[in-house]
């Protein structure tokens, strides 16, 4: 009996050791690569988002509303490292929020294993440009690389008087608002959002912004002469996007006063910090935002695909 017991023990030990080594190796590989974040990671995710509320606004707004399930989130949130030293959102945009070179390589590896679905990379400059370096060989060439986009915030009332004629757009004004939205998108991105069968989806996107009370405009004679939207809004930050002035009314102060009106709505009306990012070469817009009271807190980059 003793021999059988000894024999049984010595025979099982190598198997146990192999199993343990396999599990340890799997854990190391799991931590070394990018992983899909799930609801059980919610506390870590919340802490990471709260550590950079302005830069993370686009992702935080989605997570706060939908949680971490990809179907509700409209994409996947990836993590890197046991303490979430790296994080990246993958959806219509690829948004790397934090992490060093190892994290960016891990995110690139995960992204390149599947068909590309994003139309751009956008987010903090260090992460976006490092991630682009990793995927450029397969995803390039880029349509445009905007390497320097000042990230700006306003946490108090604007320094100039908000335009009292800028107001929320009503749902029944969609058809009057839509041409301005299309013009803004085309000027900014260089592509007509209605081309290649995109008209219905873009109209639905704009309609959703209006329905949620996040589209603002000044109408004159039934035509939009200024527009802007709150593209994303988390618990603490609202991000202004799509600022546009009718070509015939530019350099008249409409953009400055209109942006002040939207920022005032965010700060005093909704209790958020107002944020935006702007192309560094758009000197007029940068001057206007500084007049409103925005100050620079960081840098974004955008790679358009």
């Amino acid at each position: 009996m003793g021999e059988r017991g000894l024999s049984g023990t010595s025979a099982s030990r190598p198997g146990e050791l192999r199993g343990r080594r396999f599990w340890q190796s799997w854990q190391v590989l799991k931590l070394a690569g990018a992983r899909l974040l799930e609801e059980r990671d919610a506390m870590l995710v919340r802490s990471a988002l709260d550590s950079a509320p302005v830069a993370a606004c686009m992702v935080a707004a989605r997570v706060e509303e939908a949680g971490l399930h990809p179907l509700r989130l409209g994409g996947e949130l990836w993590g890197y490292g046991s303490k979430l030293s790296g994080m990246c959102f993958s959806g219509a945009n690829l948004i790397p929020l934090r992490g060093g070179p190892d994290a960016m390589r891990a995110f690139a590896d995960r992204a390149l294993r599947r068909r590309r679905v994003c139309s751009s990379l956008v987010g903090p400059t260090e992460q976006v440009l490092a991630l682009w370096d990793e995927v450029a060989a397969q995803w390039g060439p880029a349509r445009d690389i905007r390497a320097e986009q000042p990230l700006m915030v306003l946490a108090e009332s604007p320094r100039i008087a908000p335009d009292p004629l800028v107001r929320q757009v009503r749902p029944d004004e969609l058809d009057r608002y839509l041409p301005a939205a299309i013009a803004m998108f085309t000027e900014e991105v260089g592509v007509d959002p209605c081309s290649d069968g995109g008209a219905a989806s873009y109209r639905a996107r704009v309609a959703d912004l209006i329905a949620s009370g996040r589209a603002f405009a000044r109408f004159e004679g039934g035509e939009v002469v200024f527009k802007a939207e709150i593209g994303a809004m988390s618990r603490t930050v609202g991000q202004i996007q799509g600022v546009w002035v009718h070509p015939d009314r530019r350099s008249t102060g409409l953009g400055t006063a209109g942006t002040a009106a939207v920022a005032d709505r965010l700060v005093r009306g909704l209790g958020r910090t107002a944020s935006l990012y702007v192309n560094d070469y758009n000197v007029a817009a940068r001057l206007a935002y500084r007049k409103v009271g925005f100050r620079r807190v960081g840098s974004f980059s955008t790679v358009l695909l």
Side-chain angles (χ1 to χ4, degrees):
M1 180 183 291
E3 290 179 358
R4 280 198 300 272
L6 183 60
S7 174
T9 301
S10 60
S12 64
R13 189 170 296 157
E16 291 174 359
L17 289 173
R18 283 194 299 271
R20 190 176 300 116
R21 290 193 191 106
F22 174 80
W23 174 251
Q24 290 171 343
S25 297
W26 167 248
Q27 288 296 89
V28 170
L29 286 171
K30 183 178 178 183
L31 293 177
R35 64 186 179 91
L36 178 66
L37 296 173
E38 302 171 325
E39 293 297 341
R40 64 184 177 181
D41 301 300
M43 289 186 64
L44 273 175
V45 170
R46 189 177 303 114
S47 177
L49 295 174
D50 287 347
S51 70
V54 177
C57 176
M58 288 184 285
V59 176
R62 287 174 174 267
V63 171
E64 289 169 11
E65 180 180 356
L68 295 175
H69 193 284
L71 290 179
R72 295 191 299 271
L73 189 60
E76 295 181 347
L77 194 59
W78 301 338
Y80 178 85
S82 60
K83 296 184 179 179
L84 214 56
S85 57
M87 191 161 63
C88 180
F89 174 78
S90 174
N93 301 302
L94 194 61
I95 309 174
L97 289 176
R98 62 190 300 181
D102 290 343
M104 296 306 111
R105 280 191 289 271
F107 295 145
D109 179 65
R110 189 173 182 109
L112 293 173
R113 281 189 237 146
R114 60 185 71 186
R115 180 179 62 86
R116 178 174 66 82
V117 296
C118 64
S119 59
S120 71
L121 283 72
V122 60
T125 293
E126 180 183 352
Q127 282 71 34
V128 166
L129 297 183
L131 183 53
W132 175 243
D133 282 345
E134 298 291 338
V135 301
Q138 293 191 43
W139 284 5
R143 193 158 45 80
D144 193 10
I145 298 177
R146 300 175 181 182
E148 185 66 22
Q149 297 174 303
L151 178 65
M152 309 179 79
V153 300
L154 178 68
E156 61 279 333
S157 296
R159 291 178 185 167
I160 67 168
D163 185 342
L165 297 182
V166 170
R167 58 172 176 79
Q168 288 177 314
V169 180
R170 301 189 306 267
D172 64 288
E173 295 173 315
L174 171 61
D175 287 331
R176 283 193 284 168
Y177 183 81
L178 191 60
I182 293 170
M184 177 282 304
F185 190 100
T186 304
E187 288 179 29
E188 176 64 21
V189 181
V191 174
D192 183 342
C194 298
S195 63
D196 298 326
S201 60
Y202 188 71
R203 180 184 177 90
R205 177 183 170 190
V206 173
D208 182 64
L209 284 169
I210 293 174
S212 61
R214 292 187 286 135
F216 298 81
R218 172 171 171 158
F219 291 87
E220 290 183 1
E223 185 178 30
V224 173
V225 294
F226 167 86
K227 68 162 286 292
E229 296 134 8
I230 301 171
M233 188 164 64
S234 69
R235 290 181 292 105
T236 57
V237 179
Q239 188 179 86
I240 298 173
Q241 68 174 30
V243 178
W244 180 87
V245 178
H246 192 286
D248 293 343
R249 300 297 303 278
R250 291 174 186 174
S251 301
T252 63
L254 273 182
T256 306
T259 302
V262 181
D264 189 60
R265 172 67 174 167
L266 271 168
V267 174
R268 294 201 307 140
L270 298 172
R272 264 75 166 182
T273 294
S275 77
L276 53 81
Y277 60 99
V278 57
N279 294 318
D280 65 331
Y281 54 77
N282 194 341
V283 177
R286 291 171 60 188
L287 287 172
Y289 299 146
R290 283 202 290 269
K291 286 180 183 178
V292 173
F294 281 90
R295 61 184 178 85
R296 183 172 184 171
V297 294
S299 178
F300 263 25
S301 295
T302 301
V303 178
L304 298 172
L305 302 173

